[in-house]
Amino acid sequence: APSTVIVAPSGILRLASATEATHDYLVVATDEGWKLAAPTGLTLDDCARRPGAVREGRYVRAVTAPGMEGRVPAVAALDSFVDVTLRRLDVAAERRELIAREKIDYLFAPPDWVELLAGAPTVGVANLQVDAVFTSHPCHLHELAHVLVNFSLEKLPLYTLPLLQEGLAVHLGGRWERGPDFLAQVGRMFLADGYVSVGELLPRDGFYRLGADLSYPAAGVLAGWLLESAGPAEFANTYLALSGTPERLSGLSADRVAAVLAAPLGLPDSTVASLDPALAAHLASLPGNPLRAAPAGADGEPLRRFTDAGLHLRLWRDEDEWIIEIIAPHGAEPAGALLVP
């Protein structure tokens, strides 16, 4: 226990001892005395006191921070996503009503605020301790999906394999302005053309080594396959079975993860070697993918070409960098996110 406790007028509670480093905590004065407070909660409360800062929908309470004047969070779209997603995850009506009463907080804030609250450079983050989203994007469905998945589980894990945690959020809500349907096409191409292998994707460390632009779309394909095959209840059981401490998750090999996935996917065997052909058969059963990789060209030619609804992407490899050229139909100026940032 710390040997010193100081409550300062500035609202800082300082805990220190002779052998440990000092750490500052935020506190607030209440009728019952001083209480610890999370910076995220204080930020939400402070912003919500500003006139006109709060916009409430059926499920979402959007709070606009200073510096975001002239921009409006997409409350109707967020509400619609919550309703559709809760039904997809088979959340009971009374549980959906609980969210309608309590609301999910959605802080719409400048990028520098979001980075401070998240503790890292990011467009947005789901703060699962307070069931809130902090983002500079008006309709950040990927992070909202994380909150809804945790709500549907009821028994919250501390950590989950990113294959399912991020994969399900991509399958439900896309990622960084790229919708789930488009990212499913990207993920299918990555898996079918060998940019990502199942053996790399299943273990925790392998997933992170791939990088998010490769791993997230491919994980979305696997998570969607699992949700479709197993149904929401069995998916939740599998999600919890692949959760635990960082040490436990880092110790799970690709084959051990495959063994957990086998039964809900209806596979007779439980190794990566058996999962590979089953995934290939699943991909082949899906409608045709408009994103395809062309054979490598001659010197000076693009390595890959992609076409989707008349928008052409040409991809070059230059040492350690990918170079993308975008050609829009009829000379129109393309808008949106790049295929591979």
Side-chain angles (χ1 to χ4, degrees):
S3 58
T4 306
V5 178
I6 304 170
V7 178
S10 61
I12 297 293
L13 175 67
R14 174 159 291 182
L15 305 182
S17 71
T19 59
E20 296 180 0
T22 298
H23 188 78
D24 291 342
Y25 293 85
L26 295 175
V27 295
V28 293
T30 72
D31 294 339
E32 300 174 353
W34 291 95
K35 291 192 173 182
L36 289 173
T40 50
L42 291 178
T43 302
L44 271 168
D45 289 347
D46 286 346
C47 291
R49 293 191 184 99
R50 299 172 60 245
V54 178
R55 296 171 182 266
E56 282 199 359
R58 173 166 171 75
Y59 298 108
V60 173
R61 183 183 78 134
V63 179
T64 301
M68 301 298 280
E69 290 80 5
R71 299 184 62 191
V72 179
V75 176
L78 295 169
D79 262 356
S80 176
F81 176 75
V82 172
D83 190 66
V84 169
T85 301
L86 291 177
R87 294 174 189 274
R88 289 184 70 182
L89 297 176
D90 204 19
V91 175
E94 59 268 23
R95 297 269 294 158
R96 299 199 301 271
E97 286 301 316
L98 175 60
I99 291 189
R101 290 195 305 271
E102 300 294 333
K103 311 296 183 193
I104 297 171
D105 283 319
Y106 188 96
L107 181 65
F108 185 45
D112 55 338
W113 283 46
V114 175
E115 290 190 12
L116 284 172
L117 291 168
T122 184
V123 173
V125 65
N127 188 302
L128 302 180
Q129 292 84 358
V130 295
D131 292 332
V133 173
F134 304 99
T135 181
S136 56
H137 194 283
C139 191
H140 206 150
L141 303 184
H142 177 96
E143 298 304 331
L144 187 54
H146 282 308
V147 175
L148 299 175
V149 169
N150 267 22
F151 180 80
S152 72
L153 291 171
E154 299 188 47
K155 299 176 182 179
L156 302 184
L158 189 58
Y159 295 95
T160 301
L161 274 186
L163 167 73
L164 294 187
Q165 185 176 45
E166 298 300 342
L168 184 57
V170 168
H171 175 68
L172 296 171
R175 177 177 180 258
W176 283 14
E177 297 186 338
R178 289 163 284 184
D181 291 342
F182 174 70
L183 284 182
Q185 294 172 355
V186 174
R188 287 166 55 191
M189 185 192 69
F190 284 168
L191 289 163
D193 290 353
Y195 293 105
V196 178
S197 71
V198 172
E200 294 173 303
L201 200 61
L202 299 192
R204 181 175 185 265
D205 295 343
F207 183 98
Y208 289 127
R209 278 195 299 268
L210 282 170
D213 291 309
L214 287 173
S215 60
Y216 278 50
V221 173
L222 267 83
W225 180 30
L226 180 63
L227 182 62
E228 175 188 326
S229 300
E234 188 57 32
F235 184 98
N237 292 335
T238 307
Y239 192 99
L240 293 172
L242 292 173
S243 299
T245 65
E247 292 76 17
R248 175 181 179 268
L249 297 182
S250 291
L252 293 176
S253 67
D255 277 337
R256 290 180 65 187
V257 176
V260 176
L261 297 176
L265 286 173
L267 303 180
D269 201 0
S270 56
T271 63
V272 172
S274 63
L275 188 56
D276 271 328
L279 175 61
H282 169 68
L283 295 177
S285 72
L286 299 174
N289 191 351
L291 296 183
R292 293 184 178 87
D299 291 344
E301 288 296 311
L303 294 175
R304 297 288 186 266
R305 293 182 177 88
F306 312 109
T307 300
D308 186 15
L311 182 68
H312 303 284
L313 305 176
R314 297 195 294 180
L315 182 64
W316 279 268
R317 180 75 171 177
D318 182 14
E319 295 182 356
D320 293 330
E321 294 184 348
W322 289 100
I323 300 172
I324 297 176
E325 179 183 12
I326 302 177
I327 305 171
H330 311 300
E333 189 68 24
L338 292 176
L339 174 68
V340 183

